[in-house]
Amino acid sequence: MKIDPHSYAESFITEDPFKTYARARGVEIGADDVTPGVGAYLKHLAFTLSAQSVVEIGTGSGVGSLWLLDGMLASGTLTSIDDEMEHTQIAKLAFADAEISPTRYRLITNSVLDVISKLTDRAYDLVVVRHDPQDLAFVISEAHRILRSGGAMVIDSFFGGSKVNDPAQRDPKTVALRDAGKIIKNDTEHWVSTLLPTGDGLLVATKL
């Protein structure tokens, strides 16, 4: 049976049992997790950046966190923020299953906008965003502030369920995603960006 290129890419790097178990817990509570293809890309990007300090906005079940930790330096610290306590709790289970040292992560359950506004300037190598699109304009500004020069921001699920590319779709979340894309694409003094058809779309921007 012929497999389409997108499905082939998504399954090219397989998930280990810890990610599989975490994903299953996420499905039970309706968590929004990265696809395997997105996770593999995040691992690769974290490795390429020699990432020491990473911020993840939207913890989900911890699947994305595990992929990021796989690619980060062994001495690195992941700060993962979510406004749902249930997500934080099952992410802790995923980290315990994978025997991730508590010194390698901070799980923060609070308003994403409040937390990111308190993070240190130019202190992070990578910011991964998996959150309410209607907050993206603020999040993009804050991500630029906290990233070091040469650091990267990734907005996951940028296609918004294949709505962003359809001009007829005008709901608030889709419009917010389109607007975020315009902000980054047009701000060539601060970002170098690209759009990848991995998962439900990845908007990737490097801070100049």
Side-chain angles (χ1 to χ4, degrees), residues 55 119-124 127 142-148:
V55 174
L119 297 179
T120 305
D121 292 3
R122 298 179 297 278
Y124 295 89
V127 176
E142 288 298 291
H144 192 275
R145 178 183 64 79
I146 67 176
L147 281 169
R148 64 167 173 82

Side-chain angles (χ1 to χ4, degrees), residues 62-161:
V63 176
S65 307
L66 292 175
W67 278 111
L68 285 165
L69 287 162
D70 282 349
M72 292 168 60
L73 295 177
S75 58
T77 302
L78 172 68
T79 299
S80 191
I81 310 162
D82 203 291
D83 47 19
E84 296 285 345
M85 178 58 72
E86 195 171 17
H87 294 172
T88 302
Q89 290 171 339
I90 64 172
K92 285 181 180 178
L93 291 175
F95 295 166
D97 286 349
E99 299 183 345
I100 304 293
S101 169
T103 61
R104 296 203 63 203
Y105 63 86
R106 293 191 298 166
L107 289 173
I108 302 174
T109 309
N110 209 330
S111 163
V112 166
L113 304 188
D114 287 346
V115 175
I116 194 173
S117 65
K118 294 179 174 65
L119 297 179
T120 305
D121 292 3
R122 298 179 297 278
Y124 295 89
D125 305 298
L126 176 60
V127 176
V128 178
V129 183
R130 199 176 310 106
H131 185 59
D132 186 348
Q134 295 180 78
D135 296 328
L136 275 176
F138 179 80
V139 170
I140 290 167
S141 175
E142 288 298 291
H144 192 275
R145 178 183 64 79
I146 67 176
L147 281 169
R148 64 167 173 82
S149 179
M153 174 181 63
V154 178
I155 299 176
D156 189 15
S157 299
F158 180 76
F159 293 157

Side-chain angles (χ1 to χ4, degrees), residues 41-42 44-57 68 116 122-129 139-140 142-156 184 190-194 196 202-208:
Y41 175 78
L42 294 178
H44 182 269
L45 182 59
F47 179 83
T48 301
L49 292 169
S50 298
Q52 177 78 30
S53 298
V54 175
V55 174
E56 180 185 38
I57 300 173
L68 285 165
I116 194 173
R122 298 179 297 278
Y124 295 89
D125 305 298
L126 176 60
V127 176
V128 178
V129 183
V139 170
I140 290 167
E142 288 298 291
H144 192 275
R145 178 183 64 79
I146 67 176
L147 281 169
R148 64 167 173 82
S149 179
M153 174 181 63
V154 178
I155 299 176
D156 189 15
I184 293 169
H190 296 100
W191 300 105
V192 174
S193 61
T194 189
L196 304 177
L202 295 178
L203 181 59
V204 184
T206 299
K207 177 180 175 178
L208 294 174

